[in-house]
Amino acid sequence: MTLAPGRSSDRCRRSSPLLTALTLALTIAATSQAVAQRLDGFNLVATTGHPFGSADAERSLSLARHLGARAVAIIPFLWQPTISSSEIGSGSEMPDQALRIAIRQAHRQGLSVVVKPHIWVPESWAGAVEPDSEAAWRIWFSRYRTELERIARIAAEEGAERLSIGTELKKTSHRPEWIELIAAARRIFPGQLFYVAHNVEEAEALTFWPLLDAIGVSLYPPLGADDDRAGRQSVMRGVADRLELLSRRVDKPILVGEIGLRSAKGATAKPWESAEERVAEPDQQLQADVIADWLAALDRPSIGGVMIWRWFTDPAAGGAADTDFTVQGKPAQAVLSCAWTGICSKP
């Protein structure tokens, strides 16, 4: 709203509170609308022979959308040789053009896009990354910022809706360098920014949430024995309670960046454990039950979406003999369809 020319400065001063209130109301309304658009969906991973842009990837994304997915997280992997190294590079897993193609393909399917970089460390993981000197920390953050700015620029140019500034970097997230890194990402990326903390403990400890648009978290707490459903439901409710309190404290919505479980016997003891780490017999129903329990526990107004780990670009991935995390071709698909679309198959 613009005041007509020639009005007195006194009139302008009297109108300022109204203008301010209107501007604030419009800002809150726009933010509320963005938060209301839930991020239920999948972490999307390209498989060999089924690259982004292919007909197979298109079919896989269509299948995800028909299950009720509203969003996908596209994951540019960064590579670091050891947990203490300051060397970070993009590797060959997802060249810049592949990231662009992935975003465009997801958008063609009507899916919202989260760009969610991960650091891959051979025989370790991102949560162990910890340079061993102050000089090494400075170099690490400088190189990580370079990579994040590159990813943020592509995400902005391709119209991705959300960007994670990091994923599960729990031994780095206490560092003051994150403040300027967040500011650098803001200068490039106009959409929503968040960080994906590792479990509720890291999320509660972080101090930079006020600088972001949402609280991101991956949830892989130990869930006990496979047959102790009441026990794991209690764990899940406890986690959800703590997330709700955190959301109220910092006045930000929660985005669950990852939940998942292998479709394998014994998977609840270590939900983060991969098929490469332990050979086990398939147990598709366990995976479906655990995902159903998580969705029930996380069904709260403060939680703006849940992203499942994971979904492959190969539309024929998964199936009865598979013991990996993907829900494709498994009973967990029906659980998600029921939760996301309200169309529930009879038992």
Side-chain angles (χ1 to χ4, degrees), residues 142-155:
S142 175
R143 290 175 175 167
Y144 185 74
R145 174 174 168 172
T146 297
E147 294 297 330
L148 182 63
E149 288 179 334
R150 173 183 61 82
I151 292 167
R153 194 166 290 109
I154 294 170

Side-chain angles (χ1 to χ4, degrees), residues 192-347:
Q192 292 192 359
L193 292 180
F194 66 108
Y195 169 84
V196 179
H198 176 66
N199 285 329
V200 67
E201 290 79 10
E202 185 190 4
E204 290 172 330
L206 291 181
T207 59
F208 54 60
W209 293 128
L211 304 177
L212 298 171
D213 300 301
I215 299 164
V217 63
S218 63
L219 298 177
Y220 295 103
L223 296 174
D226 290 356
D227 59 357
D228 185 10
R229 192 166 192 176
R232 70 170 174 261
Q233 288 172 334
S234 177
V235 170
M236 293 170 179
R237 285 192 299 270
V239 167
D241 287 344
R242 291 167 68 179
L243 288 174
E244 194 158 36
L245 288 172
L246 175 61
S247 176
R248 292 174 184 171
R249 175 164 62 85
V250 301
D251 194 26
K252 304 285 180 182
I254 303 291
L255 301 176
V256 178
E258 293 179 28
I259 60 165
L261 188 85
R262 292 176 58 196
S263 53
K265 292 186 182 300
T268 53
K270 297 179 179 180
W272 60 88
E273 190 175 53
S274 69
E276 293 76 19
E277 293 175 282
R278 183 178 65 90
V279 177
E281 294 180 19
D283 192 338
Q284 296 184 356
Q285 194 57 50
L286 177 65
Q287 181 191 51
D289 290 344
V290 168
I291 288 175
D293 292 342
W294 266 126
L295 294 180
L298 297 170
D299 185 15
R300 303 182 182 216
S302 61
I303 295 176
V306 176
M307 306 292 288
I308 303 298
W309 184 268
R310 56 191 169 170
W311 187 270
F312 289 122
T313 54
D314 178 3
D322 182 70
T323 63
D324 206 334
F325 283 85
T326 182
V327 300
Q328 289 160 275
K330 303 174 186 178
Q333 279 197 174
V335 169
L336 292 168
S337 180
C338 180
W340 292 345
T341 70
I343 301 172
C344 304
S345 58
K346 294 181 180 179

